[in-house]
């Protein structure tokens, strides 16, 4: 992973950070496509909250790291005390995005962060949708005006590359795949 996540933060930019993935796509397009499956698997299979804001992955993590340094929370036990009776808390970053904080599962990365649900600059996406769109963009399959052609591309990628079941429809007005695909294409590579 080209970005260094500062300690004590635990963060998976593969499933939570749009800007990080934009940079990765450029790198992935020049790489062996078969090796990319490993990276796409890091996205998992759940619904994820996906940050679209202007803060870089490093900036998000650095703000969180500094936040806890300022509070003098320097270990997992101190974080658990700060959380009190709650499993998680939210903090706001300078761009008004909110981030969920919970205990990390790694000794030196005891602050696990991800975008808060329905926060500013954040959308919810299914991991399978995100993986499908990333594979489409990596393979340079452009979004078409023809929904039938889009459906063919989507299902080809899902079946042949991601081992996912096909979808029934990708009509623009309903398809989260098309909306996310358009979001990535609008950023041009």
């Amino acid at each position: 992973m080209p970005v260094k996540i500062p300690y004590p933060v635990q963060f998976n930019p593969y499933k939570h950070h749009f800007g990080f993935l934009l940079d990765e796509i450029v790198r992935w397009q020049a790489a062996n496509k078969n090796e990319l499956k490993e990276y796409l698997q890091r996205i998992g299979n759940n619904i994820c909250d996906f940050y679209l804001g202007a803060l870089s992955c490093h900036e998000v993590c650095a703000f969180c790291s500094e936040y806890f340094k300022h509070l003098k929370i320097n270990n997992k036990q101190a974080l658990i005390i700060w959380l009190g009776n709650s499993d998680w808390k939210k903090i706001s970053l300078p761009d008004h995005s909110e981030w969920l904080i919970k205990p990390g599962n790694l000794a030196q990365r005891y602050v696990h962060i991800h975008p808060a649900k329905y926060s500013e600059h954040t959308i919810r996406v299914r991991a399978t949708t995100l993986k499908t769109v990333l594979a489409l963009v990596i393979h340079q399959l452009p979004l078409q005006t023809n929904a039938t052609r889009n459906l063919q591309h989507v299902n080809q990628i899902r079946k042949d590359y991601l081992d996912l079941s096909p979808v029934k429809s990708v009509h623009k007005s309903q398809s989260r795949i098309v909306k996310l695909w358009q979001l990535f294409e609008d950023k041009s590579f």
Side-chain angles (χ1 to χ4, degrees):
M1 180 167 35
V3 67
K4 292 198 185 244
I5 306 294
Y7 290 100
V9 175
Q10 180 181 343
F11 178 59
N12 184 345
Y14 287 94
K15 67 184 202 179
H16 294 301
H17 200 281
F18 182 63
F20 171 82
L21 289 176
L22 289 175
D23 291 341
E24 287 296 276
I25 287 169
V26 172
R27 198 169 65 81
W28 289 339
Q29 285 175 332
N32 178 337
K33 305 284 188 266
N34 291 326
E35 293 175 10
L36 302 177
K37 286 184 179 183
E38 174 188 335
Y39 290 105
L40 294 178
Q41 294 309 319
R42 293 179 185 184
I43 295 169
N45 294 310
N46 299 326
I47 291 177
C48 45
D49 296 295
F50 192 57
Y51 175 73
L52 303 172
L55 295 176
S56 72
C57 184
H58 180 76
E59 289 170 324
V60 166
C61 295
F63 279 122
C64 291
S65 182
E66 285 301 313
Y67 181 89
F68 289 100
K69 192 180 292 182
H70 176 75
L71 293 177
K72 297 183 179 7
I73 294 174
N74 54 12
N75 59 50
K76 189 172 185 174
Q77 187 59 36
L79 179 71
I80 290 170
I81 291 168
W82 175 77
L83 288 171
N85 292 330
S86 180
D87 292 334
W88 54 269
K89 282 187 179 179
K90 286 183 193 177
I91 65 170
S92 294
L93 297 190
D95 69 347
H96 306 289
S97 62
E98 292 182 316
W99 291 75
L100 215 63
I101 308 298
K102 45 189 209 180
N105 57 7
L106 303 172
Q108 293 185 332
R109 297 195 180 276
Y110 53 87
V111 177
H112 182 175
I113 69 168
H114 60 84
K117 181 171 37 170
Y118 309 120
S119 169
E120 193 164 334
H121 311 299
T122 301
I123 60 172
R124 294 206 102 191
V125 297
R126 291 190 181 283
T128 54
T129 298
L130 181 55
K131 287 192 271 193
T132 300
V133 169
L134 287 171
L136 288 162
V137 174
I138 290 164
H139 286 87
Q140 300 177 338
L141 295 168
L143 183 61
Q144 307 286 316
T145 55
N146 181 322
T148 302
R149 188 73 178 131
N150 288 335
L151 183 61
Q152 290 170 344
H153 285 316
V154 166
N155 285 334
Q156 176 189 355
I157 284 291
R158 287 175 67 91
K159 178 181 168 252
D160 298 343
Y161 189 72
L162 298 173
D163 301 320
L164 295 171
S165 58
V167 296
K168 294 178 184 173
S169 172
V170 290
H171 292 297
K172 274 194 177 197
S173 62
Q174 324 164 331
S175 176
R176 292 176 190 216
I177 289 174
V178 169
K179 288 177 184 176
L180 192 59
W181 195 357
Q182 186 67 58
L183 187 65
F184 275 96
E185 282 208 350
D186 286 348
K187 291 300 179 181
S188 304
F189 301 99

